Amino acid sequence: MKPINVGLLGLGTVGTGVVRIVEGHQEDLSNQVGSPIRISQILVKDRNKARSVSVDAAKLTEDPWEIVRNPEIDVVVEVMGGIAQTKEYILEALERGKHIVTANKDLMALHGQEILEKAREKGCDVLYEASVAGGIPIIRTLIEGFSSDRITKIMGIVNGTTNYILTKMSQEGAAYAEVLKEAQELGYAEADPTSDVEGLDAARKMTILSSLGFRSNVALENVSVTGISRVTQEDIRYAKRLGYEVKLLGIAERQDDLISVSVEPTMIKTSHPIASVNGVFNAVYVHGEAVGETMFYGAGAGELPTATSIVADLVAVIKNMKLGVNGRQAQLSYNVLKLKSDEQIASKFFLLLHVQDRAGVLAQIAQVFSDCDVSIESVMQPSTPHQSSTEIIIITHQASKKSMGAVLQSFENLPAVKRVKSVYRVEG
């Protein structure tokens, strides 16, 4: 049996996992695809670096073009990261008829449609399961498992770093800055954690998931993004007191062909399954018109979980090669993207207000909500005897984003409200 030759762009944590699985599971993989799978060339930054996995030095190269232009390579597996230069390598490989497996969420979020169009033109596969949630097979599920259904909502924890931070804050009462430092020391957060904690990493993943789920070309700039850096222990304590957990959620919704996508700290009922997803784990909740509610849970990162998704994609590519159907399943968007306006985006909201403690203040606040057509579900005022100011916690009924914006604007001009300390979306 002629072996399938694979070129591996990158031998970091995930690339090392790919080598371990391909070499360690060779018999099982060969039986599945009908051919041996051989990693014949590997891109590294330094050929002389000591590695945790044994590889033949003759397979190593420091020039990515050697792999991209090698006529013996059938499939290129990209785990090196990067955007602009990596895009060039992938487009060139496709031009030369090579199939692509990638874990690059940044690249697929920003240039996925262009890459998939080139793949279809050249009759090649581009698979990217590992780009979103590590070892969770959510992309294949959206494409195949929901092919007969109509997805109306995708909601998920898709960033392990922020989930680890919020879990520690909730369970141990630790402050944000303290837990972030610990996450960096453990390797869960980068030295510059901005992409994670400000929600950009999750936004890129939600761009991919919403594009697939709604078959529309959702761009990164279509995602409303708020990170967790302003979440306080006070917010979390009040959330728990009211029966909620605070999670950084990606939320994509479709109603009457209108779409909204956001990433934001959200208060979610403790009874909802996602509320119990803790630590670095990920979970994606999908609602279909026919199937109803489903949820997918697992490790969202790490050497072997991510490598497992990559090798599963590699197996799928090779099976398509054997069947002669490569390039026929490229998931190009066919629905025209129609975004909801702020008037059409609706949810419940949690507000924590710092206000004057005197008679009539609550009536003034209630009047603002009434004037802005926002209905109040509940009000709580913690006891603060003998003080001139106090806090008021309000949870609204469903209200539009536009109406809530009008409420917040009105509070800026209301002397009784000293400060709006926190505002969160409420789910569940």
Side-chain angles (χ1 to χ4, degrees), residues 1 7 11 22 30 67 83 92 124 126 149-150 173 188 197 209 224 233 326:
M1 295 181 290
L11 193 57
V22 169
S30 296
I67 294 175
I83 300 176
E92 176 72 14
C124 295
V126 173
D149 204 349
R150 180 179 173 84
Y188 295 147
V197 300
L209 292 180
S224 173
Q233 261 302 324
N326 297 108

Side-chain angles (χ1 to χ4, degrees), residues 97 153 156 296 323 391:
K153 186 172 185 177
F296 306 86
L323 295 171
E391 291 178 340

Side-chain angles (χ1 to χ4, degrees), residues 302-313:
E303 176 185 316
L304 294 178
T306 305
T308 297
S309 288
I310 291 168
V311 177
D313 276 350

Side-chain angles (χ1 to χ4, degrees), residues 103-327:
N104 197 326
K105 63 181 176 298
D106 300 333
L107 179 65
M108 294 308 295
L110 295 172
H111 303 292
Q113 288 301 305
E114 179 183 354
I115 290 169
L116 292 172
E117 286 170 5
K118 174 61 75 172
R120 175 166 286 186
E121 175 192 333
K122 294 298 176 179
C124 295
D125 285 341
V126 173
L127 301 185
Y128 47 103
E129 182 66 72
S131 67
V132 171
I136 305 173
I138 187 60
I139 288 179
R140 187 168 287 107
T141 298
L142 291 177
I143 294 171
E144 299 176 3
F146 283 87
S147 60
S148 62
D149 204 349
R150 180 179 173 84
I151 294 170
T152 56
K153 186 172 185 177
I154 301 170
M155 180 170 71
I157 296 170
V158 292
N159 181 273
T161 300
T162 51
N163 201 45
Y164 175 83
I165 292 170
L166 292 174
T167 297
K168 294 283 280 190
M169 290 177 70
S170 175
Q171 294 183 350
E172 300 179 10
Y176 168 79
E178 176 188 336
V179 182
L180 173 58
K181 182 180 179 182
E182 180 183 326
Q184 290 172 316
E185 292 171 350
L186 291 171
Y188 295 147
E190 301 290 339
D192 179 1
T194 304
S195 179
D196 289 323
V197 300
E198 296 304 335
L200 184 57
D201 174 83
R204 287 175 169 166
K205 294 171 181 177
M206 290 306 298
T207 298
I208 294 170
L209 292 180
S210 56
S211 294
L212 290 170
F214 302 144
R215 309 295 192 258
S216 295
N217 188 12
V218 178
L220 184 60
E221 56 264 29
N222 301 139
V223 184
S224 173
V225 186
T226 304
I228 68 167
S229 57
R230 295 184 181 179
V231 177
T232 68
Q233 261 302 324
E234 185 178 41
D235 297 332
I236 290 176
R237 283 197 303 270
Y238 281 135
K240 292 171 79 71
R241 190 168 169 180
L242 294 167
Y244 294 93
E245 287 287 346
V246 178
K247 298 290 186 181
L248 183 71
L249 295 184
I251 303 172
E253 296 178 302
R254 173 169 60 179
Q255 184 178 18
D256 299 328
D257 293 325
L258 296 174
I259 291 170
S260 65
V261 188
S262 68
V263 170
E264 56 193 305
T266 303
M267 289 192 176
I268 185 159
K269 275 285 189 185
T270 55
S271 57
H272 195 288
I274 281 183
S276 61
V277 176
N278 293 317
V280 295
F281 283 88
N282 284 192
V284 181
Y285 163 98
V286 183
H287 188 279
E289 287 183 348
V291 74
E293 298 180 353
T294 60
M295 197 176 86
F296 306 86
Y297 167 88
E303 176 185 316
L304 294 178
T306 305
T308 297
S309 288
I310 291 168
V311 177
D313 276 350
L314 178 59
V315 167
V317 168
I318 296 171
K319 286 181 176 179
N320 286 345
M321 290 170 63
K322 300 286 186 177
L323 295 171
V325 294
N326 297 108

